[in-house]
Amino acid sequence: MKEGEDFYFNEEGLMVFTEVYHLKRGYCCKNKCKHCPWGYGKKKEKK
C-alpha cells in the first residue's frame, strides 16, 4: 500500500482508504467508507 495513493491520514490521525484502494480490493465491505466507489451508505436520490 502506498500513502497518498491507497490511503491518507486525516486531521485526527486516522487512516482513510481512498477510492483507488477500494477498487484494487475489488469488493465492498459495507462499512460506509468515506470514499466507497460503490456508494454504499450514501443517500439515494429520489426519482
Side-chain angles (χ1 to χ4, degrees), residues 1-16:
M1 287 196 320
K2 278 180 136 176
E3 185 171 357
E5 182 180 325
D6 295 319
F7 67 94
Y8 62 90
F9 292 97
N10 68 11
E11 306 81 38
E12 295 150 7
L14 299 173
M15 183 186 287
V16 180

Side-chain angles (χ1 to χ4, degrees), residues 3-4 6 8-9 11-12 14 18-19 21 24 26-28 30 32-33 39 41 45-46:
E3 185 171 357
D6 295 319
Y8 62 90
F9 292 97
E11 306 81 38
E12 295 150 7
L14 299 173
T18 64
E19 183 176 355
Y21 171 78
K24 285 180 186 177
Y27 64 91
C28 179
K30 302 199 182 338
K32 299 181 183 178
C33 298
E45 292 182 26
K46 292 185 180 180

